[in-house]
Amino acid sequence: MSPRRSLSSAPTIRDVARAAGVSTATASRVVRGEDKVRPEKVAAVERAVLELGYVPNSAARGLVERRVSAVALVFPEREGRVFTDPFFGAAVSGVSSALDDAGLQLLLVMTGSDDSGERMRRFVRGNHCDGIVLASQHEESMLDMALAELMAPVVSIGKPPRQRDMPYVDLDNPGGGQLAAEHLLESGRKRIALIGGPHDMAAARERAAGFEAELARHGVTLAGRVDGDYSYASGARAFDRLVEDVVDLDAVFAVNDLMAFAAIQRAKAQGLSVPGDLAVMGFDDIDVARAEAAGLTTVHNPVRTMSAQATRTLLTLIDGGEVAERMIAEPRLVLRTTA
């Protein structure tokens, strides 16, 4: 993970922050003369500025003067999905916690309609935010084309579309799919099916690819596959199709927890016991999966942690600092009672 290097050897605000032992956002606030910074931190930053010979870039100062002290968290989804899928609540929590530490305001933007590209252009050009955290990436969307034209810094939660170059924080999704396959195989399951996700989302494709590759490595052919759109309803429809098409089905892996819960409910409605007749696994480890009554065996996705990291990366960019181009978190198998 090589960081982007500046063309000059002059110290950056990130160097000042590191020398002072504070966050980049705190160092930047001290340099700008803002209040609400503890005196001991002010003193540490001032010492670091003198020791390093740091001089704020004039262009950066110009940008600072136009700041609105707000960051936009952008979901390219319709409101219905944002407010029903716990993934988005976890992302909001992570971004919000990082902005609280920096004393900045969070703006939540949902751009699920066809004109979202033009609305996004107007939003950023109107100087409503200093930068954007982007989550739930869909490839070749109007929003993506709009972001490519804008100068505002953007950091992605999840891998950005292939045509976009932006820093991102992501999960090793193929590795997570591999963990799920390993567990089902070690549990003795042989007729294993997959409920995949949206084709235009890299995470869904990679989870499925990692899962299928691990099965193939053990000489096991996927018994069936039906894709959903991450929603509970699509998971239910996918499971019903699988039961019709696959004889002696004994395990299902869904690439997110909501579709896994749907599979469990549909299985029980059809008289199947979980995990006796059918093992079911999900992916994400949303809060409800941890409830004793749910007991979902799943792959943990540290959404809050990754969202906070993406936000801190964005704040560094806003302050003119250097950032890593990509940061990859490790998935973790969470064993409960459904598989």
Side-chain angles (χ1 to χ4, degrees):
M1 295 188 289
S2 59
R4 295 176 177 174
R5 297 295 182 186
S6 65
L7 297 178
S8 169
S9 59
T12 67
I13 190 66
R14 191 178 185 186
D15 296 325
V16 172
R18 188 182 299 113
V22 300
S23 69
T24 304
T26 296
S28 181
R29 291 203 299 274
V30 173
V31 169
R32 295 197 298 264
E34 294 183 11
D35 54 9
K36 297 183 179 179
V37 180
R38 293 203 297 270
E40 62 271 20
K41 291 188 176 182
V42 172
V45 171
E46 290 176 344
R47 282 196 303 271
V49 167
L50 290 174
E51 291 170 359
L52 296 174
Y54 172 73
V55 178
N57 178 273
S58 59
R61 282 200 302 268
L63 289 173
V64 166
E65 291 169 0
R66 294 193 297 273
R67 288 188 187 174
V68 293
S69 297
V71 163
L73 172 57
V74 177
F75 295 131
E77 303 286 351
R78 295 187 182 278
E79 290 86 346
R81 186 178 170 218
V82 172
F83 291 115
T84 57
D85 189 334
F87 168 89
F88 296 101
V92 171
S93 176
V95 173
S96 179
S97 66
L99 291 181
D100 284 346
D101 292 341
L104 300 182
Q105 182 66 37
L106 170 64
L107 302 177
L108 180 59
V109 180
M110 288 168 282
T111 63
S113 63
D114 293 337
D115 69 342
S116 61
E118 183 54 39
R119 287 194 294 119
M120 198 66 210
R121 289 185 185 96
R122 292 198 301 268
F123 177 79
V124 178
R125 287 170 181 165
N127 195 36
H128 298 297
C129 67
D130 300 316
I132 295 168
V133 176
L134 182 61
S136 189
Q137 293 269 17
H138 293 266
E139 294 177 352
E140 299 180 1
S141 66
M142 291 295 294
L143 172 61
D144 179 61
M145 288 183 275
L147 291 174
E149 301 174 11
L150 299 173
M151 297 302 294
V154 183
V155 176
S156 176
I157 304 169
K159 188 176 296 180
R162 287 183 289 267
Q163 64 270 29
R164 288 287 285 125
D165 179 21
M166 67 176 73
Y168 66 92
V169 181
D170 197 14
L171 182 71
D172 177 7
N173 287 294
Q178 177 183 342
L179 289 175
E182 286 176 348
H183 175 67
L184 292 176
L185 291 170
E186 289 171 359
S187 301
R189 307 292 172 163
K190 300 183 183 301
R191 298 285 290 165
I192 303 172
L194 169 69
I195 299 179
H199 294 179
D200 65 344
M201 301 186 77
R205 294 196 308 269
E206 291 177 352
R207 293 173 186 184
F211 184 78
E212 292 192 64
E214 184 63 16
L215 292 184
R217 194 172 73 83
H218 289 270
V220 176
T221 301
L222 194 66
R225 173 174 177 169
V226 179
D227 294 337
D229 62 8
Y230 278 160
S231 69
Y232 183 95
S234 74
R237 290 191 297 268
F239 181 80
D240 288 345
R241 282 268 310 278
L242 287 172
V243 171
E244 290 177 3
D245 296 344
V246 180
V247 178
D248 296 329
L249 181 68
D250 66 4
V252 172
F253 168 59
V255 298
N256 83 332
D257 287 346
L258 280 182
M259 295 193 296
F261 280 126
I264 291 169
Q265 292 303 313
R266 293 302 301 153
K268 291 180 176 179
Q270 296 180 37
L272 298 172
S273 66
V274 178
D277 298 321
L278 182 76
V280 180
M281 287 191 67
F283 199 118
D284 282 333
D285 196 23
I286 60 178
D287 286 346
V288 68
R290 305 168 196 176
E292 184 175 351
L296 181 65
T297 296
T298 186
V299 177
H300 180 69
N301 179 7
V303 178
R304 287 184 181 86
T305 301
M306 293 193 304
S307 301
Q309 180 60 58
T311 306
R312 290 190 292 269
T313 300
L314 178 66
L315 296 177
T316 299
L317 283 178
I318 291 172
D319 287 330
E322 300 173 351
V323 301
E325 294 182 1
R326 65 189 183 106
M327 291 145 279
I328 307 298
E330 292 299 318
R332 174 171 53 86
L333 184 65
V334 182
L335 298 177
R336 297 194 179 99
T337 61
T338 64

PDB file of all heavy atoms in Angstrom, residues 176-212:
ATOM      1  N   GLY A 176     -13.185 -13.341   2.164  1.00  0.00           N
ATOM      2  CA  GLY A 176     -14.371 -13.631   2.965  1.00  0.00           C
ATOM      3  C   GLY A 176     -15.201 -14.748   2.370  1.00  0.00           C
ATOM      4  O   GLY A 176     -15.704 -15.627   3.089  1.00  0.00           O
ATOM      5  N   GLY A 177     -15.365 -14.721   1.043  1.00  0.00           N
ATOM      6  CA  GLY A 177     -16.076 -15.812   0.382  1.00  0.00           C
ATOM      7  C   GLY A 177     -15.370 -17.139   0.565  1.00  0.00           C
ATOM      8  O   GLY A 177     -16.001 -18.192   0.755  1.00  0.00           O
ATOM      9  N   GLN A 178     -14.055 -17.103   0.540  1.00  0.00           N
ATOM     10  CA  GLN A 178     -13.255 -18.312   0.757  1.00  0.00           C
ATOM     11  C   GLN A 178     -13.488 -18.876   2.157  1.00  0.00           C
ATOM     12  O   GLN A 178     -13.648 -20.094   2.330  1.00  0.00           O
ATOM     13  CB  GLN A 178     -11.780 -17.996   0.555  1.00  0.00           C
ATOM     14  CG  GLN A 178     -10.855 -19.171   0.815  1.00  0.00           C
ATOM     15  CD  GLN A 178      -9.388 -18.798   0.666  1.00  0.00           C
ATOM     16  OE1 GLN A 178      -9.045 -17.796   0.061  1.00  0.00           O
ATOM     17  NE2 GLN A 178      -8.529 -19.622   1.248  1.00  0.00           N
ATOM     18  N   LEU A 179     -13.524 -18.003   3.168  1.00  0.00           N
ATOM     19  CA  LEU A 179     -13.776 -18.455   4.542  1.00  0.00           C
ATOM     20  C   LEU A 179     -15.118 -19.171   4.652  1.00  0.00           C
ATOM     21  O   LEU A 179     -15.239 -20.205   5.331  1.00  0.00           O
ATOM     22  CB  LEU A 179     -13.739 -17.272   5.496  1.00  0.00           C
ATOM     23  CG  LEU A 179     -12.389 -16.617   5.780  1.00  0.00           C
ATOM     24  CD1 LEU A 179     -12.579 -15.384   6.657  1.00  0.00           C
ATOM     25  CD2 LEU A 179     -11.446 -17.611   6.447  1.00  0.00           C
ATOM     26  N   ALA A 180     -16.132 -18.619   3.996  1.00  0.00           N
ATOM     27  CA  ALA A 180     -17.464 -19.229   4.051  1.00  0.00           C
ATOM     28  C   ALA A 180     -17.449 -20.620   3.416  1.00  0.00           C
ATOM     29  O   ALA A 180     -18.016 -21.577   3.968  1.00  0.00           O
ATOM     30  CB  ALA A 180     -18.471 -18.337   3.344  1.00  0.00           C
ATOM     31  N   ALA A 181     -16.808 -20.744   2.265  1.00  0.00           N
ATOM     32  CA  ALA A 181     -16.746 -22.042   1.589  1.00  0.00           C
ATOM     33  C   ALA A 181     -15.980 -23.064   2.425  1.00  0.00           C
ATOM     34  O   ALA A 181     -16.403 -24.230   2.553  1.00  0.00           O
ATOM     35  CB  ALA A 181     -16.095 -21.878   0.217  1.00  0.00           C
ATOM     36  N   GLU A 182     -14.867 -22.651   2.999  1.00  0.00           N
ATOM     37  CA  GLU A 182     -14.067 -23.560   3.826  1.00  0.00           C
ATOM     38  C   GLU A 182     -14.904 -24.120   4.972  1.00  0.00           C
ATOM     39  O   GLU A 182     -14.854 -25.317   5.266  1.00  0.00           O
ATOM     40  CB  GLU A 182     -12.852 -22.821   4.390  1.00  0.00           C
ATOM     41  CG  GLU A 182     -11.756 -22.547   3.385  1.00  0.00           C
ATOM     42  CD  GLU A 182     -10.630 -21.728   4.000  1.00  0.00           C
ATOM     43  OE1 GLU A 182     -10.836 -21.190   5.122  1.00  0.00           O
ATOM     44  OE2 GLU A 182      -9.569 -21.614   3.369  1.00  0.00           O
ATOM     45  N   HIS A 183     -15.677 -23.232   5.616  1.00  0.00           N
ATOM     46  CA  HIS A 183     -16.456 -23.690   6.770  1.00  0.00           C
ATOM     47  C   HIS A 183     -17.531 -24.689   6.357  1.00  0.00           C
ATOM     48  O   HIS A 183     -17.718 -25.726   7.025  1.00  0.00           O
ATOM     49  CB  HIS A 183     -17.106 -22.501   7.474  1.00  0.00           C
ATOM     50  CG  HIS A 183     -18.009 -22.916   8.585  1.00  0.00           C
ATOM     51  ND1 HIS A 183     -17.550 -23.524   9.735  1.00  0.00           N
ATOM     52  CD2 HIS A 183     -19.368 -22.850   8.716  1.00  0.00           C
ATOM     53  CE1 HIS A 183     -18.568 -23.807  10.537  1.00  0.00           C
ATOM     54  NE2 HIS A 183     -19.678 -23.401   9.937  1.00  0.00           N
ATOM     55  N   LEU A 184     -18.231 -24.415   5.281  1.00  0.00           N
ATOM     56  CA  LEU A 184     -19.285 -25.329   4.850  1.00  0.00           C
ATOM     57  C   LEU A 184     -18.709 -26.679   4.433  1.00  0.00           C
ATOM     58  O   LEU A 184     -19.282 -27.734   4.735  1.00  0.00           O
ATOM     59  CB  LEU A 184     -20.081 -24.705   3.705  1.00  0.00           C
ATOM     60  CG  LEU A 184     -20.933 -23.489   4.091  1.00  0.00           C
ATOM     61  CD1 LEU A 184     -21.594 -22.887   2.859  1.00  0.00           C
ATOM     62  CD2 LEU A 184     -21.992 -23.868   5.135  1.00  0.00           C
ATOM     63  N   LEU A 185     -17.575 -26.656   3.759  1.00  0.00           N
ATOM     64  CA  LEU A 185     -16.940 -27.913   3.358  1.00  0.00           C
ATOM     65  C   LEU A 185     -16.456 -28.702   4.571  1.00  0.00           C
ATOM     66  O   LEU A 185     -16.635 -29.922   4.652  1.00  0.00           O
ATOM     67  CB  LEU A 185     -15.772 -27.631   2.417  1.00  0.00           C
ATOM     68  CG  LEU A 185     -16.156 -27.097   1.031  1.00  0.00           C
ATOM     69  CD1 LEU A 185     -14.920 -26.634   0.271  1.00  0.00           C
ATOM     70  CD2 LEU A 185     -16.909 -28.161   0.227  1.00  0.00           C
ATOM     71  N   GLU A 186     -15.857 -28.008   5.537  1.00  0.00           N
ATOM     72  CA  GLU A 186     -15.379 -28.680   6.746  1.00  0.00           C
ATOM     73  C   GLU A 186     -16.533 -29.243   7.574  1.00  0.00           C
ATOM     74  O   GLU A 186     -16.349 -30.186   8.352  1.00  0.00           O
ATOM     75  CB  GLU A 186     -14.552 -27.706   7.584  1.00  0.00           C
ATOM     76  CG  GLU A 186     -13.198 -27.368   6.968  1.00  0.00           C
ATOM     77  CD  GLU A 186     -12.500 -26.252   7.709  1.00  0.00           C
ATOM     78  OE1 GLU A 186     -13.071 -25.733   8.692  1.00  0.00           O
ATOM     79  OE2 GLU A 186     -11.373 -25.887   7.294  1.00  0.00           O
ATOM     80  N   SER A 187     -17.723 -28.656   7.400  1.00  0.00           N
ATOM     81  CA  SER A 187     -18.907 -29.137   8.117  1.00  0.00           C
ATOM     82  C   SER A 187     -19.542 -30.335   7.422  1.00  0.00           C
ATOM     83  O   SER A 187     -20.566 -30.847   7.887  1.00  0.00           O
ATOM     84  CB  SER A 187     -19.940 -28.010   8.239  1.00  0.00           C
ATOM     85  OG  SER A 187     -19.387 -26.900   8.931  1.00  0.00           O
ATOM     86  N   GLY A 188     -18.978 -30.745   6.305  1.00  0.00           N
ATOM     87  CA  GLY A 188     -19.476 -31.923   5.604  1.00  0.00           C
ATOM     88  C   GLY A 188     -20.570 -31.652   4.596  1.00  0.00           C
ATOM     89  O   GLY A 188     -21.201 -32.594   4.085  1.00  0.00           O
ATOM     90  N   ARG A 189     -20.820 -30.391   4.280  1.00  0.00           N
ATOM     91  CA  ARG A 189     -21.860 -30.064   3.296  1.00  0.00           C
ATOM     92  C   ARG A 189     -21.351 -30.355   1.889  1.00  0.00           C
ATOM     93  O   ARG A 189     -20.196 -30.076   1.561  1.00  0.00           O
ATOM     94  CB  ARG A 189     -22.266 -28.599   3.433  1.00  0.00           C
ATOM     95  CG  ARG A 189     -22.662 -28.202   4.854  1.00  0.00           C
ATOM     96  CD  ARG A 189     -23.965 -28.871   5.298  1.00  0.00           C
ATOM     97  NE  ARG A 189     -24.222 -28.636   6.714  1.00  0.00           N
ATOM     98  CZ  ARG A 189     -25.419 -28.817   7.302  1.00  0.00           C
ATOM     99  NH1 ARG A 189     -26.443 -29.250   6.579  1.00  0.00           N
ATOM    100  NH2 ARG A 189     -25.566 -28.594   8.589  1.00  0.00           N
ATOM    101  N   LYS A 190     -22.244 -30.873   1.041  1.00  0.00           N
ATOM    102  CA  LYS A 190     -21.831 -31.281  -0.298  1.00  0.00           C
ATOM    103  C   LYS A 190     -22.671 -30.650  -1.403  1.00  0.00           C
ATOM    104  O   LYS A 190     -22.172 -30.428  -2.509  1.00  0.00           O
ATOM    105  CB  LYS A 190     -21.885 -32.809  -0.418  1.00  0.00           C
ATOM    106  CG  LYS A 190     -20.981 -33.522   0.586  1.00  0.00           C
ATOM    107  CD  LYS A 190     -21.009 -35.020   0.367  1.00  0.00           C
ATOM    108  CE  LYS A 190     -20.160 -35.739   1.427  1.00  0.00           C
ATOM    109  NZ  LYS A 190     -18.753 -35.300   1.415  1.00  0.00           N
ATOM    110  N   ARG A 191     -23.936 -30.388  -1.133  1.00  0.00           N
ATOM    111  CA  ARG A 191     -24.822 -29.780  -2.150  1.00  0.00           C
ATOM    112  C   ARG A 191     -25.027 -28.322  -1.744  1.00  0.00           C
ATOM    113  O   ARG A 191     -25.976 -27.956  -1.060  1.00  0.00           O
ATOM    114  CB  ARG A 191     -26.142 -30.536  -2.212  1.00  0.00           C
ATOM    115  CG  ARG A 191     -25.988 -31.989  -2.616  1.00  0.00           C
ATOM    116  CD  ARG A 191     -25.699 -32.115  -4.104  1.00  0.00           C
ATOM    117  NE  ARG A 191     -26.889 -31.752  -4.895  1.00  0.00           N
ATOM    118  CZ  ARG A 191     -26.861 -31.494  -6.192  1.00  0.00           C
ATOM    119  NH1 ARG A 191     -25.713 -31.528  -6.854  1.00  0.00           N
ATOM    120  NH2 ARG A 191     -27.982 -31.201  -6.838  1.00  0.00           N
ATOM    121  N   ILE A 192     -24.102 -27.495  -2.199  1.00  0.00           N
ATOM    122  CA  ILE A 192     -24.003 -26.114  -1.713  1.00  0.00           C
ATOM    123  C   ILE A 192     -24.426 -25.142  -2.805  1.00  0.00           C
ATOM    124  O   ILE A 192     -23.949 -25.223  -3.946  1.00  0.00           O
ATOM    125  CB  ILE A 192     -22.558 -25.806  -1.274  1.00  0.00           C
ATOM    126  CG1 ILE A 192     -22.101 -26.806  -0.206  1.00  0.00           C
ATOM    127  CG2 ILE A 192     -22.451 -24.379  -0.754  1.00  0.00           C
ATOM    128  CD1 ILE A 192     -20.623 -26.705   0.151  1.00  0.00           C
ATOM    129  N   ALA A 193     -25.309 -24.212  -2.442  1.00  0.00           N
ATOM    130  CA  ALA A 193     -25.798 -23.216  -3.401  1.00  0.00           C
ATOM    131  C   ALA A 193     -25.405 -21.814  -2.949  1.00  0.00           C
ATOM    132  O   ALA A 193     -25.045 -21.588  -1.785  1.00  0.00           O
ATOM    133  CB  ALA A 193     -27.310 -23.316  -3.555  1.00  0.00           C
ATOM    134  N   LEU A 194     -25.506 -20.890  -3.875  1.00  0.00           N
ATOM    135  CA  LEU A 194     -25.084 -19.503  -3.645  1.00  0.00           C
ATOM    136  C   LEU A 194     -26.206 -18.542  -3.996  1.00  0.00           C
ATOM    137  O   LEU A 194     -26.848 -18.677  -5.051  1.00  0.00           O
ATOM    138  CB  LEU A 194     -23.854 -19.202  -4.516  1.00  0.00           C
ATOM    139  CG  LEU A 194     -23.400 -17.744  -4.626  1.00  0.00           C
ATOM    140  CD1 LEU A 194     -22.839 -17.254  -3.291  1.00  0.00           C
ATOM    141  CD2 LEU A 194     -22.340 -17.595  -5.712  1.00  0.00           C
ATOM    142  N   ILE A 195     -26.456 -17.588  -3.106  1.00  0.00           N
ATOM    143  CA  ILE A 195     -27.309 -16.439  -3.433  1.00  0.00           C
ATOM    144  C   ILE A 195     -26.373 -15.258  -3.628  1.00  0.00           C
ATOM    145  O   ILE A 195     -25.782 -14.755  -2.671  1.00  0.00           O
ATOM    146  CB  ILE A 195     -28.344 -16.145  -2.329  1.00  0.00           C
ATOM    147  CG1 ILE A 195     -29.268 -17.348  -2.144  1.00  0.00           C
ATOM    148  CG2 ILE A 195     -29.157 -14.903  -2.696  1.00  0.00           C
ATOM    149  CD1 ILE A 195     -30.307 -17.167  -1.048  1.00  0.00           C
ATOM    150  N   GLY A 196     -26.172 -14.854  -4.894  1.00  0.00           N
ATOM    151  CA  GLY A 196     -25.261 -13.775  -5.217  1.00  0.00           C
ATOM    152  C   GLY A 196     -25.927 -12.415  -5.098  1.00  0.00           C
ATOM    153  O   GLY A 196     -27.097 -12.305  -4.730  1.00  0.00           O
ATOM    154  N   GLY A 197     -25.150 -11.373  -5.404  1.00  0.00           N
ATOM    155  CA  GLY A 197     -25.658 -10.010  -5.278  1.00  0.00           C
ATOM    156  C   GLY A 197     -25.675  -9.279  -6.605  1.00  0.00           C
ATOM    157  O   GLY A 197     -25.539  -9.893  -7.676  1.00  0.00           O
ATOM    158  N   PRO A 198     -25.824  -7.950  -6.569  1.00  0.00           N
ATOM    159  CA  PRO A 198     -25.917  -7.155  -7.800  1.00  0.00           C
ATOM    160  C   PRO A 198     -24.657  -7.282  -8.655  1.00  0.00           C
ATOM    161  O   PRO A 198     -23.541  -7.186  -8.153  1.00  0.00           O
ATOM    162  CB  PRO A 198     -26.081  -5.723  -7.274  1.00  0.00           C
ATOM    163  CG  PRO A 198     -26.588  -5.870  -5.878  1.00  0.00           C
ATOM    164  CD  PRO A 198     -25.978  -7.124  -5.349  1.00  0.00           C
ATOM    165  N   HIS A 199     -24.837  -7.454  -9.942  1.00  0.00           N
ATOM    166  CA  HIS A 199     -23.701  -7.658 -10.844  1.00  0.00           C
ATOM    167  C   HIS A 199     -22.855  -6.409 -11.014  1.00  0.00           C
ATOM    168  O   HIS A 199     -21.682  -6.504 -11.406  1.00  0.00           O
ATOM    169  CB  HIS A 199     -24.203  -8.117 -12.222  1.00  0.00           C
ATOM    170  CG  HIS A 199     -24.841  -9.471 -12.186  1.00  0.00           C
ATOM    171  ND1 HIS A 199     -25.380 -10.077 -13.302  1.00  0.00           N
ATOM    172  CD2 HIS A 199     -25.039 -10.355 -11.163  1.00  0.00           C
ATOM    173  CE1 HIS A 199     -25.874 -11.264 -12.976  1.00  0.00           C
ATOM    174  NE2 HIS A 199     -25.689 -11.438 -11.680  1.00  0.00           N
ATOM    175  N   ASP A 200     -23.422  -5.241 -10.746  1.00  0.00           N
ATOM    176  CA  ASP A 200     -22.665  -4.003 -10.958  1.00  0.00           C
ATOM    177  C   ASP A 200     -21.958  -3.519  -9.696  1.00  0.00           C
ATOM    178  O   ASP A 200     -21.513  -2.380  -9.623  1.00  0.00           O
ATOM    179  CB  ASP A 200     -23.581  -2.892 -11.492  1.00  0.00           C
ATOM    180  CG  ASP A 200     -24.649  -2.462 -10.491  1.00  0.00           C
ATOM    181  OD1 ASP A 200     -24.884  -3.206  -9.511  1.00  0.00           O
ATOM    182  OD2 ASP A 200     -25.243  -1.386 -10.693  1.00  0.00           O
ATOM    183  N   MET A 201     -21.838  -4.399  -8.703  1.00  0.00           N
ATOM    184  CA  MET A 201     -21.153  -4.056  -7.460  1.00  0.00           C
ATOM    185  C   MET A 201     -19.991  -5.016  -7.241  1.00  0.00           C
ATOM    186  O   MET A 201     -20.174  -6.239  -7.167  1.00  0.00           O
ATOM    187  CB  MET A 201     -22.125  -4.073  -6.275  1.00  0.00           C
ATOM    188  CG  MET A 201     -23.284  -3.110  -6.443  1.00  0.00           C
ATOM    189  SD  MET A 201     -24.334  -2.984  -4.980  1.00  0.00           S
ATOM    190  CE  MET A 201     -23.307  -1.948  -3.938  1.00  0.00           C
ATOM    191  N   ALA A 202     -18.780  -4.450  -7.142  1.00  0.00           N
ATOM    192  CA  ALA A 202     -17.570  -5.268  -7.051  1.00  0.00           C
ATOM    193  C   ALA A 202     -17.591  -6.197  -5.839  1.00  0.00           C
ATOM    194  O   ALA A 202     -17.172  -7.358  -5.927  1.00  0.00           O
ATOM    195  CB  ALA A 202     -16.339  -4.369  -7.008  1.00  0.00           C
ATOM    196  N   ALA A 203     -18.062  -5.714  -4.697  1.00  0.00           N
ATOM    197  CA  ALA A 203     -18.052  -6.539  -3.486  1.00  0.00           C
ATOM    198  C   ALA A 203     -18.874  -7.807  -3.678  1.00  0.00           C
ATOM    199  O   ALA A 203     -18.450  -8.905  -3.278  1.00  0.00           O
ATOM    200  CB  ALA A 203     -18.575  -5.736  -2.301  1.00  0.00           C
ATOM    201  N   ALA A 204     -20.051  -7.681  -4.276  1.00  0.00           N
ATOM    202  CA  ALA A 204     -20.906  -8.849  -4.487  1.00  0.00           C
ATOM    203  C   ALA A 204     -20.228  -9.856  -5.415  1.00  0.00           C
ATOM    204  O   ALA A 204     -20.235 -11.067  -5.156  1.00  0.00           O
ATOM    205  CB  ALA A 204     -22.249  -8.413  -5.070  1.00  0.00           C
ATOM    206  N   ARG A 205     -19.644  -9.352  -6.497  1.00  0.00           N
ATOM    207  CA  ARG A 205     -18.966 -10.251  -7.436  1.00  0.00           C
ATOM    208  C   ARG A 205     -17.786 -10.954  -6.775  1.00  0.00           C
ATOM    209  O   ARG A 205     -17.572 -12.152  -6.966  1.00  0.00           O
ATOM    210  CB  ARG A 205     -18.473  -9.474  -8.660  1.00  0.00           C
ATOM    211  CG  ARG A 205     -19.578  -8.896  -9.530  1.00  0.00           C
ATOM    212  CD  ARG A 205     -19.026  -8.506 -10.890  1.00  0.00           C
ATOM    213  NE  ARG A 205     -17.851  -7.654 -10.787  1.00  0.00           N
ATOM    214  CZ  ARG A 205     -17.880  -6.331 -10.757  1.00  0.00           C
ATOM    215  NH1 ARG A 205     -19.044  -5.710 -10.779  1.00  0.00           N
ATOM    216  NH2 ARG A 205     -16.762  -5.622 -10.682  1.00  0.00           N
ATOM    217  N   GLU A 206     -17.013 -10.206  -5.990  1.00  0.00           N
ATOM    218  CA  GLU A 206     -15.802 -10.774  -5.394  1.00  0.00           C
ATOM    219  C   GLU A 206     -16.118 -11.796  -4.308  1.00  0.00           C
ATOM    220  O   GLU A 206     -15.411 -12.801  -4.167  1.00  0.00           O
ATOM    221  CB  GLU A 206     -14.936  -9.649  -4.836  1.00  0.00           C
ATOM    222  CG  GLU A 206     -14.323  -8.770  -5.924  1.00  0.00           C
ATOM    223  CD  GLU A 206     -13.536  -7.613  -5.363  1.00  0.00           C
ATOM    224  OE1 GLU A 206     -13.597  -7.409  -4.129  1.00  0.00           O
ATOM    225  OE2 GLU A 206     -12.863  -6.922  -6.144  1.00  0.00           O
ATOM    226  N   ARG A 207     -17.160 -11.557  -3.522  1.00  0.00           N
ATOM    227  CA  ARG A 207     -17.543 -12.533  -2.502  1.00  0.00           C
ATOM    228  C   ARG A 207     -17.945 -13.851  -3.151  1.00  0.00           C
ATOM    229  O   ARG A 207     -17.543 -14.929  -2.710  1.00  0.00           O
ATOM    230  CB  ARG A 207     -18.689 -11.987  -1.650  1.00  0.00           C
ATOM    231  CG  ARG A 207     -18.298 -10.803  -0.806  1.00  0.00           C
ATOM    232  CD  ARG A 207     -19.483 -10.163  -0.098  1.00  0.00           C
ATOM    233  NE  ARG A 207     -19.076  -8.948   0.587  1.00  0.00           N
ATOM    234  CZ  ARG A 207     -19.868  -8.206   1.359  1.00  0.00           C
ATOM    235  NH1 ARG A 207     -21.138  -8.578   1.549  1.00  0.00           N
ATOM    236  NH2 ARG A 207     -19.412  -7.118   1.935  1.00  0.00           N
ATOM    237  N   ALA A 208     -18.746 -13.752  -4.206  1.00  0.00           N
ATOM    238  CA  ALA A 208     -19.179 -14.952  -4.913  1.00  0.00           C
ATOM    239  C   ALA A 208     -18.004 -15.656  -5.576  1.00  0.00           C
ATOM    240  O   ALA A 208     -17.893 -16.893  -5.539  1.00  0.00           O
ATOM    241  CB  ALA A 208     -20.234 -14.583  -5.958  1.00  0.00           C
ATOM    242  N   ALA A 209     -17.100 -14.882  -6.185  1.00  0.00           N
ATOM    243  CA  ALA A 209     -15.954 -15.473  -6.877  1.00  0.00           C
ATOM    244  C   ALA A 209     -15.036 -16.203  -5.903  1.00  0.00           C
ATOM    245  O   ALA A 209     -14.560 -17.311  -6.189  1.00  0.00           O
ATOM    246  CB  ALA A 209     -15.179 -14.391  -7.618  1.00  0.00           C
ATOM    247  N   GLY A 210     -14.788 -15.598  -4.736  1.00  0.00           N
ATOM    248  CA  GLY A 210     -13.946 -16.247  -3.739  1.00  0.00           C
ATOM    249  C   GLY A 210     -14.570 -17.540  -3.233  1.00  0.00           C
ATOM    250  O   GLY A 210     -13.873 -18.540  -3.008  1.00  0.00           O
ATOM    251  N   PHE A 211     -15.891 -17.515  -3.063  1.00  0.00           N
ATOM    252  CA  PHE A 211     -16.622 -18.697  -2.594  1.00  0.00           C
ATOM    253  C   PHE A 211     -16.531 -19.829  -3.612  1.00  0.00           C
ATOM    254  O   PHE A 211     -16.165 -20.968  -3.278  1.00  0.00           O
ATOM    255  CB  PHE A 211     -18.080 -18.312  -2.351  1.00  0.00           C
ATOM    256  CG  PHE A 211     -18.930 -19.405  -1.773  1.00  0.00           C
ATOM    257  CD1 PHE A 211     -18.860 -19.722  -0.423  1.00  0.00           C
ATOM    258  CD2 PHE A 211     -19.804 -20.115  -2.574  1.00  0.00           C
ATOM    259  CE1 PHE A 211     -19.648 -20.728   0.115  1.00  0.00           C
ATOM    260  CE2 PHE A 211     -20.597 -21.124  -2.046  1.00  0.00           C
ATOM    261  CZ  PHE A 211     -20.513 -21.431  -0.704  1.00  0.00           C
ATOM    262  N   GLU A 212     -16.839 -19.519  -4.870  1.00  0.00           N
ATOM    263  CA  GLU A 212     -16.819 -20.540  -5.915  1.00  0.00           C
ATOM    264  C   GLU A 212     -15.411 -21.084  -6.145  1.00  0.00           C
ATOM    265  O   GLU A 212     -15.226 -22.288  -6.391  1.00  0.00           O
ATOM    266  CB  GLU A 212     -17.394 -19.982  -7.208  1.00  0.00           C
ATOM    267  CG  GLU A 212     -18.884 -19.686  -7.149  1.00  0.00           C
ATOM    268  CD  GLU A 212     -19.483 -19.423  -8.507  1.00  0.00           C
ATOM    269  OE1 GLU A 212     -19.472 -20.363  -9.340  1.00  0.00           O
ATOM    270  OE2 GLU A 212     -19.945 -18.290  -8.756  1.00  0.00           O
TER     271      GLU A 212
END
